[in-house]
Amino acid sequence: RPEITDIKNIRGNGTFIGFDCDDQRTTNSLQLWLNKAGVHVARIGPKTLGLRPALIMNPTQAAPLREAVRHFHPNHTNYQ
């Protein structure tokens, strides 16, 4: 499985976090993948996704995001 190199320019502070993907196709695919995994992300720009985590988010609560990103591949076709 290839390393995730499609996520770039991670930025933010507190309850505003954003990151870019290489292209719109990857952004679409990642947004769908994360939403199906229960991680709600918003489309901020053509290649940018945003998160609004709670200020009290801890590592246990962040685990679903980490695992969803870890298992993402831009060529996934099964989003169930």
Side-chain angles (χ1 to χ4, degrees):
R1 177 170 125 49
E3 288 295 313
I4 300 298
T5 58
D6 304 299
I7 298 173
K8 299 182 178 357
N9 194 22
I10 300 170
R11 60 209 177 267
N13 190 14
T15 62
F16 295 97
I17 299 172
F19 56 90
D20 299 330
C21 297
D22 283 338
D23 53 50
Q24 287 186 5
R25 184 182 142 291
T26 302
T27 307
N28 292 340
S29 184
L30 181 58
Q31 183 178 19
L32 182 59
W33 178 260
L34 291 175
N35 286 335
K36 291 283 186 173
V39 179
H40 300 286
V41 294
R43 191 60 165 271
I44 306 300
K47 297 189 281 183
T48 305
L49 294 175
L51 293 166
R52 297 282 317 265
L55 280 174
I56 59 171
M57 187 176 199
N58 63 43
T60 302
Q61 294 165 322
L65 170 62
R66 182 188 64 236
E67 290 304 308
V69 170
R70 241 172 107 187
H71 292 97
F72 170 74
H73 188 277
N75 295 326
H76 272 296
T77 55
N78 182 8
Y79 290 102
Q80 300 177 3

